[in-house]
């Protein structure tokens, strides 16, 4: 166990009289110094009032960012999904070969191969001329028609087509007649036309129509697929077709529809027909898209899971991601995401290598996950699914830029500027989601194992002009840097301090960003020597901090602005950073010699009231305390000790005990200067310091003893200290705190030593009894916890015992002089212990003097420092 780990109390080694031979207590104290790191509260992170892509404080212009609110219906989806409509009419072929029709990849008839019906053909069953004109529209316009109940419509099996020629022959004329007579749906008529043409082409060729089988498919596989379609899929789709948009649907019915969707999903998964493998995939998608107009969030989320599993792309993928985002905006829907595996589908989408071809869909996908991660239960669920690693990998792909084979970006901009814009939008969502996840204590191992800190620093460096991204990352760091292991990991990122200082310089007026960067730097410099060095060695780093100090220290035009909590919070974090930097000897010496730095700190004490700005004033005094440790010739603190003492005197009289404690600590350092000791005695400060021994607070008593040790270095001050009852208060302090705080007990003994140098102390017998008990290891009660016991035993042995035993010897000698009747001069003439014992032997003297020489006792008596 290192000496630095023995105790967290850190005070400087105060002056002692006599020779300067170091003891164990001084060595330990010198290792700890008096320099202390400062703690502060993490900046408050406000919760967004509304769930949306970009917060109300976003720096993005409203007209330049994707919307968070939109309407979405079945008509917005395209079918078949495999070939989005182009709106371009193809030129007619000069050569017209024999009619040949093939199926597209979704299992439907390739509409591009269908000939247009002759304009002069008439058919009374087709309906009016308007309907007939619509039938002749370009095949590439493939928006879905409104959904209609199918009680009298053509059967779904007939509309989607049959797999085998024998199945196609079952399309009886009566079915066609019933459909065409009672329905005005031009889409159904269009499909009928395709079936007629298909039958005509088959009979004309005298062979089966060409069917493109998948990889490794055989005719038997095709038969199995047909049976699967008729027995497992078709009945479910027929049930779905019975619902019309706008119909009132009960919760029970919605539940049945959701169960049917889940059953269909499981059946397709078991058969290996998810993705784009199933030939009837487009028919399934048409039906699923129509169900969106039922208007149930629960059903839509179930549909989205199945639609994503069918591997939709293009506009359909974008719209389904928008649909999920729309559902996630309502916090009352969070339970729906807990009960399904839609999260897995969304995370799978983020694994895509080419995010640029799905840019806007990925944006809404991550946006949904960001909103959901604000729920603690969903946040933990996402964490268990490797959410942090997925987001970091996505960030890396976005920063690397699109590949040379990347498809057109869904932002409809192919130039580099559009790519950077969509990447920036996505990174805002990514960093906001990570910000939410960072609230979970379970997230720290994932952040550490995935090397998140270096990636986040790289994001900051590459997007330093994007305030939304910078603030999100700063919030992540401010949360995680409060933990030691995360703080060290961040400190190991070589560019973090440089990037932070650059952002502070560029965005000095953005308080919400500045305060979080300063807080994070304060955490780093509190725990890492390397971080202190990097901030100091960064070119212009200290100047950036002092410039910020001046910006936020400037007195505003109105008193109300002067007390703005945001500005004051920046100063609190900034001054804390300076205090932590001053722990490093090189940095501390430089800051103590920096006139601007010291002057700004003194202005805080001059202009701020401790009652209104307590934390700010206390941090300023604590920073002055750390700087006062470096009292070389170049120290501005040393040269302005009189002015500083006057400011500290006001704090000693304040009602804030924390302010009193910090002021006492500074006096403990400055009282090494003779002029300061004179100031203290002249203004009766020592009387107030003595009363602090009654505070029953170890830290306050410790700091008071530090001042009293230095004051007692002057002979003219010792009698005044003894007259104010200092000795009795010190003995009470030793009795009350000794076993709890051996470091404090050692300082009390040191103070008693100095106070007794040129006069007798009262209450000697009481002090000897306490020392006798405290120096007996076996008589003390030690903690049962082994770790705490080791620390206390080490403090007792290294800090307290050497000083206490020497002090006890001194008072034994005083007792001997009193009991033998010898004067001090006679005592000095004693040349051996035996001569003294022979004059008045006692059992007490025998047990003590046979192990010590007369020379050692004389050295102790005449002022040897413990």
């Amino acid at each position: 166990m290192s000496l630095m780990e023995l105790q967290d109390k850190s005070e400087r080694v105060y002056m002692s009289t006599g020779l300067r031979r170091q003891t164990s207590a001084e060595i330990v104290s010198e290792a700890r110094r008096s320099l202390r790191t400062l703690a502060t509260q993490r900046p408050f992170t406000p919760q967004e009032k509304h769930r949306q892509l970009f917060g109300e404080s976003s720096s993005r212009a409203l007209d330049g960012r994707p919307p968070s609110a939109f309407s979405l219906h079945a008509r917005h989806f395209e079918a078949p999904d495999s070939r989005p409509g182009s709106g371009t009419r193809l030129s007619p072929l000069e050569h017209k070969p024999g009619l040949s029709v093939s199926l597209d990849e979704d299992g439907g008839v390739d509409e591009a191969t269908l000939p247009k019906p002759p304009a002069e053909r008439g058919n009374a069953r087709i309906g009016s001329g308007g309907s007939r004109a619509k039938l002749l529209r370009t095949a590439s316009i493939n928006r879905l028609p409104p959904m209609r109940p199918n009680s009298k419509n053509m059967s779904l099996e007939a509309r989607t087509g049959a797999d085998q020629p024998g199945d196609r022959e079952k399309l009886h004329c009566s079915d066609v007649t019933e459909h065409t007579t009672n329905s005005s749906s031009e889409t159904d008529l269009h499909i009928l036309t395709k079936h007629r043409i298909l039958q005509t082409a088959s009979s004309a060729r005298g062979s089966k129509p060409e069917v493109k089988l998948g990889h490794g498919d055989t005719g038997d596989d095709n038969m199995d697929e047909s049976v699967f379609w008729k027995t497992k899929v078709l009945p479910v789709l027929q049930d779905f077709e019975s619902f019309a948009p706008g119909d009132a649907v009960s919760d029970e019915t919605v539940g049945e529809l959701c169960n049917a969707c889940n059953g269909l999903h499981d059946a397709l998964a078991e058969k290996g027909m998810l993705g784009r493998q199933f030939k009837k995939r487009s028919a399934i998608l048409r039906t699923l898209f129509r169900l969106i107009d039922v208007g149930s969030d629960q059903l839509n989320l179930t549909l989205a899971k199945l639609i994503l599993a069918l591997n939709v792309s293009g506009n359909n993928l974008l719209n389904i991601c928008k649909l999920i985002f729309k559902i996630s905006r309502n916090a009352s829907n969070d339970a729906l995401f807990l009960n399904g595996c839609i999260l897995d589908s969304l995370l799978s989408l983020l694994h895509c290598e080419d995010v640029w071809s799905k840019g806007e869909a990925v944006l809404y996908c991550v946006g949904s996950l960001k909103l959901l991660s604000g729920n603690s239960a969903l946040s933990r669920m996402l964490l268990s699914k490797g959410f942090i690693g997925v987001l970091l990998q996505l960030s890396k792909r976005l920063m690397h830029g699109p590949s040379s084979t990347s498809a057109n970006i869904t932002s409809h901009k192919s130039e580099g500027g559009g790519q950077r814009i969509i990447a920036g939008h996505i990174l805002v969502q990514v960093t906001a989601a990570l910000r939410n996840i960072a609230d979970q204590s379970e997230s720290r191992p994932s952040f550490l194992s995935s090397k998140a800190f270096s990636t986040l620093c790289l994001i900051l460096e590459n997007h330093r002009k994007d305030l939304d991204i910078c603030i999100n990352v700063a919030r992540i760091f401010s949360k995680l840097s409060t933990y030691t292991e995360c703080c060290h990991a961040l400190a190991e990122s070589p560019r973090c301090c440089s990037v932070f200082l650059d952002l502070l310089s560029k965005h000095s007026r953005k308080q919400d960003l500045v305060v979080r960067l300063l807080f994070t730097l304060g955490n780093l410099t509190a725990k890492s020597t390397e971080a202190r060095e990097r901030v100091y060695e960064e070119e212009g780093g200290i100047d950036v901090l002092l410039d910020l100090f001046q910006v936020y220290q400037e007195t505003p035009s109105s008193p109300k602005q002067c007390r703005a909590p945001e500005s004051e919070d920046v100063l609190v974090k900034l001054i804390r950073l300076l205090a932590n930097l001053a722990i490093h000897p090189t940095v501390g010496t430089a800051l103590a010699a920096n006139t601007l730095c010291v002057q700004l700190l003194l202005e805080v004490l001059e202009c701020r009231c401790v009652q209104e700005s307590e934390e700010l004033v206390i941090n300023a005094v604590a920073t002055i305390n750390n700087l006062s440790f470096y009292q070389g010739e170049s120290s501005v603190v040393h040269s302005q000790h009189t002015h500083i003492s006057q400011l500290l005197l006001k704090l000693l009289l304040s009602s804030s005990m924390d302010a009193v404690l910090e002021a006492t600590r500074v006096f403990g350092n400055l009282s090494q200067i003779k002029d300061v000791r004179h100031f203290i005695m002249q203004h009766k400060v020592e009387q107030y310091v003595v009363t602090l021994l009654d505070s029953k607070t170890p830290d306050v008593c410790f700091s008071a003893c530090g001042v009293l040790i230095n004051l007692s270095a002057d002979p003219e001050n010792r009698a005044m200290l003894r007259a104010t009852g200092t000795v009795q208060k010190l003995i009470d302090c030793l009795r009350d705190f000794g076993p709890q705080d051996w470091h404090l007990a050692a300082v009390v003994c040191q103070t008693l030593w100095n106070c007794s140098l040129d006069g007798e102390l009262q209450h000697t017998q009481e002090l000897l009894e306490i020392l006798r008990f405290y120096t007996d290891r076996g008589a003390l009660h030690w903690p049962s916890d082994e770790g705490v016991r080791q620390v206390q035993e080490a403090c007792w042995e290294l800090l307290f015992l050497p000083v206490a035993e020497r002090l006890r010897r001194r008072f034994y000698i005083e007792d001997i002089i009193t009991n033998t009747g010898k004067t001090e001069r006679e005592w000095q003439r004693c040349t051996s212990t035996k001569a003294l014992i022979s004059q008045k032997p006692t059992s007490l003297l025998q047990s003590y003097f046979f192990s010590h020489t007369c020379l050692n006792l004389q050295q102790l008596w005449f002022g040897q420092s413990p």
Side-chain angles (χ1 to χ4, degrees):
M1 183 176 296
S2 68
L3 296 177
M4 293 294 290
E5 294 173 333
L6 292 178
Q7 195 169 348
D8 193 33
K9 190 194 306 290
S10 298
E11 296 286 345
R12 74 157 292 109
V13 179
Y14 298 100
M15 290 178 58
S16 304
T17 58
L19 300 176
R20 295 303 300 154
R21 187 179 67 187
Q22 283 189 318
T23 65
S24 298
E26 288 178 317
I27 294 173
V28 174
S29 297
E30 188 172 273
R32 284 196 300 259
R33 305 286 181 178
S34 69
L35 307 182
R36 300 177 304 108
T37 59
L38 299 184
T40 187
Q41 292 183 347
R42 181 169 61 84
F44 173 71
T45 300
Q47 295 292 331
E48 295 288 350
K49 295 180 180 179
H50 306 287
R51 289 188 172 191
Q52 47 196 5
L53 277 177
F54 303 96
E56 297 175 356
S57 59
S58 174
S59 61
R60 283 164 164 73
L62 289 174
D63 57 351
R65 62 192 190 191
S68 295
F70 40 77
S71 60
L72 203 61
H73 301 283
R75 58 186 174 83
H76 293 102
F77 292 84
E78 299 172 342
D81 169 70
S82 59
R83 189 181 62 257
S86 63
T88 303
R89 185 182 298 274
L90 299 177
S91 302
L93 296 175
E94 295 181 1
H95 174 69
K96 298 183 179 180
L99 188 61
S100 176
V101 180
S102 62
L103 302 181
D104 65 16
E105 61 180 81
D106 285 331
V109 177
D110 191 348
E111 299 183 13
T113 63
L114 293 177
K116 298 181 177 61
E120 62 274 10
R121 285 184 61 183
N123 192 331
R125 295 183 179 178
I126 289 184
S128 64
S131 298
R132 188 168 174 273
K134 293 179 181 178
L135 178 63
L136 303 180
R137 64 187 175 187
T138 304
S140 59
I141 305 300
N142 52 14
R143 296 289 182 183
L144 287 175
M147 185 174 63
R148 301 177 182 273
N150 68 343
S151 58
K152 295 183 179 181
N153 285 3
M154 184 183 71
S155 66
L156 181 66
E157 181 180 2
R159 290 198 294 126
T160 55
D163 289 321
Q164 302 298 329
D167 295 330
R168 295 190 180 96
E169 292 172 0
K170 294 178 183 179
L171 186 61
H172 298 295
C173 181
S174 59
D175 296 330
V176 177
T177 303
E178 179 182 1
H179 174 76
T180 56
T181 302
N182 300 319
S183 174
S184 61
S185 171
E186 63 271 16
T187 300
D188 290 343
L189 291 174
H190 197 183
I191 295 174
L192 272 176
T193 305
K194 289 191 287 185
H195 282 293
R196 288 178 176 178
I197 295 174
L198 185 62
Q199 289 177 338
T200 303
S202 299
S203 60
R205 290 196 306 268
S207 60
K208 298 180 180 180
E210 179 184 359
V211 179
K212 299 179 180 179
L213 301 176
H215 296 291
D217 285 349
T218 63
D220 292 337
D221 294 335
N222 212 31
M223 284 295 294
D224 291 342
E225 185 174 307
S226 176
V227 173
F228 174 74
W229 168 263
K230 290 177 179 292
T231 59
K232 299 292 185 180
V233 180
L234 187 59
V236 177
L237 299 186
Q238 287 174 336
D239 289 340
F240 290 165
E241 286 285 321
S242 64
F243 292 93
D247 290 351
V249 180
S250 66
D251 293 341
E252 181 180 358
T253 303
V254 169
E256 293 175 356
L257 287 172
C258 292
N259 291 335
C261 283
N262 290 328
L264 180 58
H265 179 282
D266 295 341
L268 292 171
E270 183 179 356
K271 198 69 175 176
M273 292 182 177
L274 291 176
R276 308 181 73 90
Q277 303 303 318
F278 194 26
K279 296 183 177 63
K280 300 288 188 178
R281 169 176 167 274
S282 59
I284 298 175
L285 289 173
R286 287 190 187 96
T287 305
L288 296 180
F289 291 155
R290 290 188 175 97
L291 284 179
I292 290 175
D293 282 344
V294 173
S296 166
D297 287 343
Q298 179 183 357
L299 177 59
N300 284 344
L301 201 60
T302 307
L303 291 170
K305 181 182 72 173
L306 179 53
I307 292 171
L308 286 176
L310 291 172
N311 197 13
V312 293
S313 59
N315 191 59
N316 287 341
L317 176 61
L318 171 59
N319 284 335
I320 208 65
C321 289
K322 281 186 173 182
L323 180 64
I324 297 172
F325 176 79
K326 185 177 181 180
I327 298 171
S328 68
R329 291 194 64 194
N330 189 344
S332 62
N333 288 332
D334 286 355
L336 301 178
F337 292 87
L338 283 169
N339 299 329
C341 57
I342 187 66
L343 295 180
D344 295 322
S345 302
L346 295 176
L347 292 175
S348 298
L349 179 59
L350 300 186
H351 281 292
C352 63
E353 289 298 327
D354 185 14
V355 297
W356 303 98
S357 62
K358 305 175 181 178
E360 199 170 352
V362 173
L363 171 65
Y364 283 99
C365 175
V366 184
S368 302
L369 293 171
K370 175 199 71 174
L371 298 181
L372 297 174
S373 63
N375 180 295
S376 58
L378 285 169
S379 180
R380 286 190 290 269
M381 181 180 290
L382 287 168
L383 191 60
S384 67
K385 297 177 181 295
F387 187 43
I388 292 177
V390 172
L391 292 181
L392 292 174
Q393 290 301 319
L394 175 62
S395 301
K396 292 177 181 178
R397 292 197 296 273
L398 289 170
M399 288 188 291
H400 289 160
S403 62
S404 58
T405 59
S406 175
N408 290 334
I409 301 173
T410 58
S411 64
H412 308 297
K413 295 181 179 181
S414 58
E415 56 273 4
Q419 296 172 356
R420 288 192 297 272
I421 290 173
I422 196 67
H425 291 337
I426 297 175
L427 282 175
V428 171
Q429 311 306 313
V430 168
T431 52
L434 290 172
R435 177 198 67 201
N436 292 340
I437 289 289
D439 284 330
Q440 301 295 329
S441 59
E442 305 95 322
S443 68
R444 298 200 298 274
S446 297
F447 276 105
L448 292 169
S449 61
S450 58
K451 299 181 179 179
F453 298 99
S454 58
T455 302
L456 290 171
C457 285
L458 187 59
I459 292 174
L460 266 186
E461 189 168 8
N462 291 343
H463 296 270
R464 63 185 71 195
K465 295 182 180 180
D466 193 323
L467 279 176
D468 291 342
I469 294 176
C470 291
I471 291 175
N472 283 340
V473 176
R475 285 176 172 170
I476 297 171
F477 286 155
S478 70
K479 293 177 180 182
L480 294 179
S481 63
T482 57
Y483 303 99
T484 301
E485 65 274 18
C486 295
C487 200
H488 287 305
L490 178 57
E492 290 174 359
S493 301
R495 292 278 298 161
C496 71
C497 292
S498 175
V499 174
F500 289 176
L501 291 169
D502 183 62
L503 290 174
L504 289 172
S505 177
K506 283 183 168 59
H507 304 293
S508 60
R509 298 286 182 173
K510 301 297 181 181
Q511 293 183 2
D512 49 352
L513 175 62
V514 169
V515 73
R516 287 167 176 83
L517 292 176
L518 292 174
F519 176 77
T520 303
L521 282 172
N523 293 339
L524 294 180
T525 53
K527 297 180 175 68
S528 171
T529 301
E530 292 76 11
R532 298 174 197 135
E533 294 174 349
R534 287 177 185 170
V535 172
Y536 175 69
E537 293 172 356
E538 187 68 28
E539 184 177 357
I542 299 298
D543 293 336
V544 169
L545 299 180
L546 296 181
D547 288 343
L548 281 174
F549 204 151
Q550 289 180 292
V551 167
Y552 288 92
Q553 177 75 338
E554 290 178 356
T555 303
S557 57
S558 67
K560 183 177 180 180
Q561 290 179 313
C562 185
R563 291 188 296 271
E566 296 83 4
S567 299
E568 186 165 305
D569 200 23
V570 171
L571 287 176
V572 167
K573 271 57 177 181
L574 175 56
I575 293 174
R576 171 186 177 244
L577 171 58
L578 294 174
N580 294 345
L581 285 170
I583 296 174
H584 193 285
T586 303
V587 185
T589 302
L591 290 177
N594 191 307
T595 303
L596 177 59
C597 177
V598 176
Q599 186 60 40
L600 289 171
L601 291 170
L602 296 181
E603 285 180 7
V604 172
L605 302 185
E606 294 167 353
C607 302
R608 305 281 177 155
C609 174
V610 69
Q611 285 77 17
E612 296 179 357
S613 307
E614 183 175 17
E615 186 178 9
L616 177 60
V617 172
I618 290 174
N619 278 8
V621 179
T623 306
I624 292 174
N625 176 61
N626 283 0
L627 296 179
S628 67
F629 178 79
Y630 307 100
Q631 297 196 16
E633 295 181 358
S634 62
S635 172
V636 180
V637 175
H638 185 279
S639 63
Q640 297 195 26
H641 59 77
T642 302
H643 182 43
I644 295 174
S645 298
Q646 293 170 346
L647 295 173
L648 295 177
L649 185 58
K650 293 191 302 183
L651 292 178
L652 283 176
L653 302 177
S654 70
S655 59
S656 170
M657 201 60 203
D658 290 333
V660 170
L661 174 59
E662 291 300 336
T664 306
R665 284 170 171 160
V666 180
F667 270 128
N669 277 348
L670 293 182
S671 57
Q672 296 178 85
I673 305 172
K674 188 173 181 61
D675 290 343
V676 175
R677 297 198 296 273
H678 178 71
F679 176 90
I680 291 174
M681 301 303 294
Q682 182 183 9
H683 292 82
K684 308 298 181 183
V685 176
E686 85 286 353
Q687 297 180 11
Y688 187 77
V689 173
V690 170
T691 62
L692 294 179
L693 296 175
D694 294 326
S695 67
K696 305 302 180 184
T697 304
D699 284 343
V700 175
C701 293
F702 194 98
S703 300
C705 286
V707 179
L708 295 174
I709 288 176
N710 289 345
L711 291 178
S712 60
D714 298 328
E716 63 271 18
N717 297 336
R718 295 171 196 153
M720 297 181 64
L721 292 176
R722 290 193 294 266
T724 57
T726 304
V727 174
Q728 181 61 58
K729 292 183 182 295
L730 289 170
I731 293 174
D732 293 341
C733 189
L734 180 63
R735 181 193 303 107
D736 295 339
F737 296 115
Q740 305 172 27
D741 192 337
W742 292 116
H743 191 190
L744 173 58
V747 174
V748 171
C749 290
Q750 176 88 15
T751 310
L752 287 168
W753 177 281
N754 283 4
C755 288
S756 64
L757 285 178
D758 54 3
E760 294 184 3
L761 293 182
Q762 298 176 347
H763 316 288
T764 303
Q765 290 300 323
E766 181 183 3
L767 177 60
L768 285 174
E769 291 176 5
I770 296 174
L771 293 175
R772 186 182 304 114
F773 176 72
Y774 283 177
T775 54
D776 185 355
R777 181 191 293 266
L780 297 172
H781 297 286
W782 301 99
S784 57
D785 184 88
E786 185 62 27
V788 177
R789 179 189 178 99
Q790 289 180 1
V791 172
Q792 287 206 6
E793 286 183 341
C795 290
W796 177 82
E797 183 175 354
L798 295 176
L799 297 174
F800 172 74
L801 188 60
V803 182
E805 285 190 337
R806 292 180 180 180
L807 183 62
R808 190 177 67 149
R809 295 172 199 170
R810 164 175 290 178
F811 291 119
Y812 274 141
I813 295 173
E814 288 185 355
D815 190 45
I816 292 171
I817 294 174
T818 303
N819 291 335
T820 59
K822 287 185 175 293
T823 64
E824 180 179 333
R825 185 179 298 277
E826 290 174 329
W827 166 250
Q828 293 181 23
R829 288 198 298 267
C830 292
T831 57
S832 68
T833 302
K834 181 182 288 188
L836 181 61
I837 294 176
S838 64
Q839 294 180 11
K840 189 172 183 179
T842 62
S843 59
L844 178 62
L845 292 173
Q846 289 174 354
S847 65
Y848 180 76
F849 279 107
F850 280 133
S851 60
H852 297 81
T853 65
C854 184
L855 178 61
N856 288 336
L857 294 175
Q858 287 179 352
Q859 288 177 337
L860 285 171
W861 176 253
F862 289 108
Q864 172 62 39
S865 172

